[in-house]
Amino acid sequence: MTAAPASVWAAGQTSRGMTRHPTPGDKGSLPLSSRESLLAELEELQAATQARRRRYCHLTQPNWPDGARIAVNFTFDVDHVLSRTANDEPPMQVAKGEFGGRVGAWRTLELLDRHGIVGTFFTPGRSVDLYPSVLREIAERGHEFADHMWEHYVPADPVVQRDHMLRTRDVLTELAGRPPVGTRSSYPDALVLEMGYIYNSHGFASPLPFKVRRDGKELLNLSVHLAIDDAMYFNYGWIGSAASAQRLSDQDLVLDIWWQAFQQQYEAGGYLNIALHPFIIGHSARIAMLDELITRMKSLPGVWFANSEDVARHCLALPSEAFACNEE
């Protein structure tokens, strides 16, 4: 094969037309302007990374109540049909969401009652109109309601964002008799704080709850990992996905994954936020799996089953020394 001209190599291209990145000490492989451009980009990335790191304060000493080894949140996203109708999905897909409000949520409530667990129901404002009877029952049984957007999406327009948050807060306040104190959403932190919320449950910067600092204010985040989310395993027909992307896992496999996650955090003295959807977890075999998981957890001492508000208020009441903050 004929070697590429030196001019091609000097331009940073291989004989196949692909970019040839310099190796350490290979100062002559790119023109000076290209090297300077790459270095400038690298410096920008490093600066952005450091700025992002400085935003976080990580909980290191949870000191759970009564000497508990672990705090466990069972959280439920009551979005049912909203994301499916927003994506103009076919009737059979919408019907899967309807199952949550008609059947799955009731099975979920029965399971929580049997185990004496208070959960947190992240509820879009529109769900209150769609499923009033089961949502009233959730309120009467003493579970926590929290914001989950108005129609299960965050609008791009800041004015509409604020309107959606206000409307959801109003309907949840009327439903529960008290305003919600948390959200599971990607609304801007400043807007979340403006609503009077003390926590978000969105993202996974740390296995333990963590604080996000912005403009001199702090917002607690209750970590939720997609590996502990029923939609990642059981949501067959996920938002119009192709057949190769369908998810329909074996219950025993998921039980094993979640049990190992619990055991790891139990040994570490940590926290586990289990994210569920009544239209997914509410099917009979999956409810049985969740029953088994809770039964195993309860067999060990020192497990604190709390709602999200209780965990958030506990963390926010801890002394500043309980958090490790990256330098400003």
Side-chain angles (χ1 to χ4, degrees):
M1 181 175 67
T2 304
S7 58
V8 173
W9 291 106
Q13 301 294 315
T14 68
S15 59
R16 296 180 183 268
M18 300 172 63
T19 301
R20 177 177 180 264
H21 297 290
T23 57
D26 188 14
K27 296 181 179 179
S29 60
L30 289 174
L32 182 61
S33 59
S34 297
R35 292 201 305 274
E36 289 176 344
S37 176
L38 287 174
L39 288 173
E41 288 182 22
L42 179 60
E43 289 176 358
E44 289 179 8
L45 288 171
Q46 290 174 332
T49 300
Q50 290 302 317
R52 188 170 180 82
R53 286 185 69 253
R54 288 193 291 270
R55 290 178 53 197
Y56 294 103
C57 291
H58 298 279
L59 180 63
T60 59
Q61 305 169 42
N63 298 324
W64 302 123
D66 301 320
R69 290 185 59 90
I70 187 172
V72 177
N73 281 159
F74 283 95
T75 62
F76 301 86
D77 291 0
V78 193
D79 41 64
H80 300 323
V81 302
L82 290 173
S83 60
R84 296 177 180 275
T85 53
N87 286 280
D88 195 27
E89 296 199 21
M92 286 302 293
Q93 298 294 65
V94 175
K96 294 174 184 177
E98 285 280 2
F99 174 86
R102 310 301 180 195
V103 180
W106 295 98
R107 288 177 174 171
T108 296
L109 286 176
E110 292 170 3
L111 178 66
L112 295 176
D113 277 357
R114 287 203 305 273
H115 286 285
I117 290 174
V118 178
T120 298
F121 288 77
F122 290 96
T123 306
R126 283 283 288 121
S127 289
V128 179
D129 294 329
L130 295 170
Y131 306 99
S133 58
V134 72
L135 288 172
R136 284 196 298 267
E137 187 68 22
I138 291 170
E140 290 176 5
R141 299 193 191 194
H143 298 285
E144 177 192 5
F145 281 108
D147 170 272
H148 195 41
M149 300 161 284
W150 176 251
E151 290 184 315
H152 204 245
Y153 72 94
V154 173
D157 187 334
V159 175
V160 182
Q161 288 179 5
R162 191 171 186 278
D163 176 67
H164 278 202
M165 289 203 83
L166 287 169
R167 292 165 69 184
T168 301
R169 188 181 67 180
D170 288 347
V171 297
L172 293 182
T173 298
E174 182 177 357
L175 179 67
R178 60 190 294 264
V181 299
T183 182
R184 173 168 285 163
S185 67
S186 57
Y187 285 118
D189 292 345
L191 186 55
V192 172
L193 290 166
E194 180 189 334
M195 293 295 118
Y197 295 155
I198 63 174
Y199 75 86
N200 198 346
S201 183
H202 178 78
F204 192 78
S206 171
L208 286 167
F210 58 93
K211 293 179 181 178
V212 182
R213 299 180 293 182
R214 191 189 294 274
D215 300 326
K217 297 180 180 180
E218 294 181 338
L219 177 66
L220 188 75
N221 199 305
L222 301 179
S223 299
V224 56
H225 197 287
L226 292 178
I228 318 295
D229 184 325
D230 58 357
M232 299 302 106
Y233 302 96
F234 300 126
N235 200 358
Y236 187 75
W238 174 252
I239 309 184
S241 58
S244 60
Q246 306 290 345
R247 302 182 179 101
L248 192 59
S249 299
D250 179 82
Q251 284 86 218
D252 291 339
L253 172 63
V254 179
L255 174 62
D256 186 52
I257 292 171
W258 290 1
W259 175 241
Q260 289 185 46
F262 169 81
Q263 287 181 306
Q264 188 277 326
Q265 282 298 295
Y266 183 83
E267 293 299 324
Y271 169 71
L272 196 65
N273 187 335
I274 302 174
L276 304 164
H277 302 74
F279 76 92
I280 297 174
I281 201 66
H283 290 270
S284 56
R286 298 168 198 165
I287 280 287
M289 179 207 76
L290 189 59
D291 187 14
E292 172 64 20
L293 178 67
I294 295 172
T295 300
R296 290 187 189 182
M297 292 177 174
K298 292 174 72 175
S299 71
L300 297 176
V303 181
W304 181 35
F305 295 100
N307 64 24
S308 299
E309 178 180 358
D310 288 342
V311 170
R313 292 197 184 280
H314 170 80
C315 293
L316 291 170
L318 292 170
S320 58
E321 294 78 16
F323 290 85
C325 298
N326 295 313
E327 295 297 326
E328 289 284 1

